[in-house]
Amino acid sequence: MMRQKKKRKAPLPPLGESVGADAFVKRHPEGHGDDGVTELDFDPLTTYPVTLAGRHPVLEHERVRAFYDAIVAMNAMDSRDDGDDDDDERASKKIAFFSTLGASMFASHASYGELGLGDAGTDALVGMVRDGRGRGRLHGAKITGGGSGGTVCVLGEDDDAGEADHAIEDVRARYARRRMDDENLSSSRANANALPHLFRGSSPGAASYGYLALRLDGA
């Protein structure tokens, strides 16, 4: 009995080149394997940037580590009460920590956008925070949520004078004004002048408190 030789798929281009949609579909006719989440673009002129897609998760890991290390170092400094650092030195270190946190967030947002997964609205919000960086206690911002726009996470510094609160309200007002003149920032002209929704606070996330499975009635 002769064994049928398994037909090998043609290799994709090596890392560092883009891959065309037609080549991807020929190799993976079933798609991405996440039906209902993303859709294949069957336009033969479409290309996917292999290098950027491979680089993003690698560098994102480094950004997450830098973000985590800065938070740990900041908390360690705040918990010490040994008098080794004077007020000016502590303030300088704190600014450096926030600078690292903010830089990681802005870099993450830019890397995500290079993959073509960004959104004009979230880009505008992040840009407004970046333009005012160092003023008003806002230090960083990035797209978050389910992907492809909708929500922006903004890093603000808690302060008694409420500078961060005033700064974020200024960003919301500026965005609402800009949205009136830019149809790319609003799917409906009826709500074009509405302020973006604001959610305050932070959370340890699902890694700490678990998750809930929501099901529709009758499903």
Side-chain angles (χ1 to χ4, degrees):
M1 181 176 177
M2 295 182 60
R3 294 182 60 185
Q4 186 176 4
K5 189 175 181 180
K6 187 176 181 181
K7 186 177 180 181
R8 298 184 62 183
K9 294 181 178 179
L12 289 174
L15 190 65
E17 298 182 16
S18 61
V19 57
D22 52 349
F24 182 86
V25 171
K26 286 179 181 178
R27 183 176 175 87
H28 301 284
E30 71 282 1
H32 298 110
D34 57 352
D35 293 341
V37 179
T38 57
E39 296 181 359
L40 283 176
D41 186 345
F42 292 97
D43 187 343
L45 298 180
T46 297
T47 58
Y48 296 102
V50 177
T51 302
L52 295 179
R55 184 175 66 183
H56 175 75
V58 175
L59 297 185
E60 188 76 349
H61 176 75
E62 295 300 317
R63 287 187 284 265
V64 170
R65 292 299 311 177
F67 196 93
Y68 173 82
D69 290 342
I71 291 177
V72 170
M74 186 186 302
N75 288 339
M77 183 187 71
D78 289 341
S79 64
R80 289 199 308 267
D81 191 18
D82 51 16
D84 289 344
D85 298 335
D86 58 29
D87 290 342
D88 290 340
E89 186 174 359
R90 289 175 68 88
S92 178
K93 289 182 177 180
K94 195 170 186 178
I95 291 174
F97 290 144
F98 273 115
S99 178
T100 298
L101 297 175
S104 297
M105 296 179 74
F106 288 129
S108 174
H109 180 85
S111 179
Y112 189 78
E114 287 179 343
L115 300 177
L117 301 174
D119 173 83
T122 52
D123 285 347
L125 286 167
V126 171
M128 290 174 185
V129 175
R130 184 179 56 245
D131 292 343
R133 189 179 184 189
R135 305 191 304 270
R137 309 279 184 163
L138 300 184
H139 299 281
K142 68 178 293 291
I143 191 172
T144 188
S148 297
T151 308
V152 168
C153 176
V154 179
L155 175 65
E157 182 180 355
D158 191 18
D159 65 290
D160 295 335
E163 292 183 39
D165 290 335
H166 294 312
I168 198 66
E169 290 302 326
D170 178 64
V171 169
R172 294 175 72 204
R174 288 169 57 199
Y175 180 82
R177 291 194 297 269
R178 180 172 170 181
R179 187 163 55 179
M180 288 290 292
D181 300 322
D182 190 342
E183 61 182 13
N184 292 323
L185 301 184
S186 179
S187 59
S188 172
R189 305 311 299 163
N191 66 351
N193 63 344
L195 292 174
H197 292 291
L198 176 63
F199 305 91
R200 297 177 180 272
S202 60
S203 166
S208 176
Y209 60 75
Y211 62 92
L212 297 176
L214 303 179
R215 295 182 176 84
L216 296 176
D217 291 340

